[in-house]
Amino acid sequence: MEQPRFGRMIPAMVTPMKENLELDLDRAQELADRLVKGGADSLIINGTTGESPTVFYPGKIELFKAVVAAVDGRIPVIANVGDNCTADTVSFASDVAKLGVNGFMCVVPYYNKPPQEGIYQHFRTIAGSVELPIILYNIPGRCVVNMKAETTLRLANEFDNVVAVKEASGDLDQVKAIVEGAPEGFCVYSGDDSATYDIMKLGGVGVISTIGNVAPSRMKEIVDLCAAGKWEEAAAANERLMPLMEGLFKTANPILVKEALKLSGFPVGGVRLPLVDATAEQSAELERTMREVGVL
């Protein structure tokens, strides 16, 4: 497989918080550096795993600036700018484009429940307003609506700067249809660590990853083996890490991935309400799983 522009293993970076739950920009820079050195090909900043719903625009700007400075051009930095208001997304993306980021991620509009034509017009408006490459993000479990393959392909074929989709629909038939109908160079990323192997077998290029915060080298091993067509080795590596891929989602993300970083000796603070920190029982179970897979 040809190497995609944003690579194959892209951690959706958590957002470190201080004890008072203000943004910890120094720790964010340290984490970004740690992930670059751990094998990340790019970084998604302030996605779902980065608590985007509770970090408001001024905080997002400061976070993007801090990470761009820390990464210092070593790998691409992709800013999540997606919102459920098209006009707000366009305005914010225009501001963020000036900060030195290398691309955008934009989620299907949540809560509004738009029809497919509304989803298309939303992304069409964004793509026509910015020059940076855009990764679409389809996650019906959080957005209520599913962006169908036909809509994704319509956008991919019409706009040169719509370059990829993060597919977290759980529908492998839909993923297959996108892969088979996509123009050359359009990338399909798994939106779930646990589905990465299956999606790459269908022609996906890699993963936008939660576990990549905790075990970047292990997740990179899996996607690189898949890309090399070493499917048996990839399946074995995938199976070894699967308990933690699934274990991080025993409660709402990113509660447990932040707890996992703490257990790894790299604490990044707690989560903002309405999320709550891991319980003692959840932490103990997570620690057992991390030891089982060899991350601790």
Side-chain angles (χ1 to χ4, degrees):
M1 289 185 186
E2 186 180 339
Q3 182 75 0
R5 77 166 74 193
F6 291 132
R8 302 191 185 282
M9 203 289 289
I10 307 176
M13 195 178 98
V14 303
T15 298
M17 303 284 182
K18 297 177 182 176
E19 195 170 336
N20 64 359
L21 295 181
E22 291 298 312
L23 296 183
D24 190 339
L25 297 177
D26 290 340
R27 195 59 160 168
Q29 292 188 314
E30 291 170 1
L31 177 58
D33 183 64
R34 175 184 169 102
L35 295 177
V36 172
K37 291 174 178 173
D41 293 321
S42 296
L43 293 176
I44 296 277
I45 308 304
N46 203 221
T48 309
T49 306
E51 295 178 75
S52 55
T54 53
V55 178
F56 298 106
Y57 286 162
K60 292 178 196 287
I61 292 281
E62 293 308 309
L63 184 61
F64 297 150
K65 284 181 180 176
V67 173
V68 167
V71 170
D72 194 26
R74 288 176 289 172
I75 61 173
V77 175
I78 302 158
N80 174 39
V81 297
D83 207 328
N84 65 339
C85 173
T86 307
D88 283 354
T89 303
V90 168
S91 175
F92 186 53
S94 298
D95 291 339
V96 174
K98 302 166 188 172
L99 304 180
V101 301
N102 305 100
F104 297 130
M105 186 172 75
C106 297
V107 71
V108 168
Y110 44 88
Y111 194 77
N112 314 52
K113 296 178 73 173
Q116 294 299 306
E117 183 63 23
I119 295 172
Y120 165 76
Q121 292 290 347
H122 172 80
F123 287 124
R124 175 181 181 270
T125 302
I126 299 166
S129 303
V130 300
E131 294 182 0
L132 286 176
I134 296 167
I135 300 175
L136 310 174
Y137 182 15
N138 185 40
I139 181 163
R142 287 184 182 265
C143 295
V144 185
V145 292
N146 173 51
M147 179 166 63
K148 294 181 179 177
E150 293 83 356
T151 304
T152 300
L153 291 172
R154 188 179 176 192
L155 291 159
N157 282 292
E158 286 186 25
F159 298 96
D160 290 341
N161 61 336
V162 176
V163 300
V165 63
K166 176 183 178 182
E167 252 293 332
S169 65
D171 184 341
L172 291 179
D173 289 335
Q174 176 165 294
V175 170
K176 186 171 185 284
I178 296 169
V179 168
E180 291 179 352
E184 187 176 353
F186 185 82
C187 296
V188 179
Y189 288 95
S190 174
D192 295 301
D193 290 308
S194 59
T196 304
Y197 176 86
D198 292 332
I199 286 177
M200 290 192 74
K201 265 214 144 177
L202 294 174
V205 303
V207 61
I208 295 176
S209 172
T210 296
I211 202 173
N213 284 277
V214 182
S217 61
R218 293 280 296 276
M219 198 65 209
K220 187 172 176 62
E221 176 192 18
I222 293 167
V223 298
D224 286 349
L225 286 169
C226 288
K230 297 179 179 179
W231 297 110
E232 286 187 16
E233 291 176 56
N238 189 61
E239 187 175 343
R240 287 193 295 270
L241 198 56
M242 186 63 71
L244 185 57
M245 293 185 199
E246 295 175 343
L248 290 174
F249 287 86
K250 291 287 181 73
T251 188
N253 187 40
I255 292 170
L256 292 180
V257 68
K258 279 194 158 183
E259 185 67 16
L261 282 164
K262 178 182 174 183
L263 292 168
S264 299
F266 192 89
V268 290
V271 291
R272 287 179 171 176
L273 287 170
L275 299 182
V276 292
D277 294 339
T279 65
E281 293 78 13
Q282 288 169 337
S283 181
E285 182 182 2
L286 178 61
E287 184 175 0
R288 286 193 296 272
T289 302
M290 291 172 73
R291 292 190 186 284
E292 175 191 339
V293 303
V295 170
L296 277 184

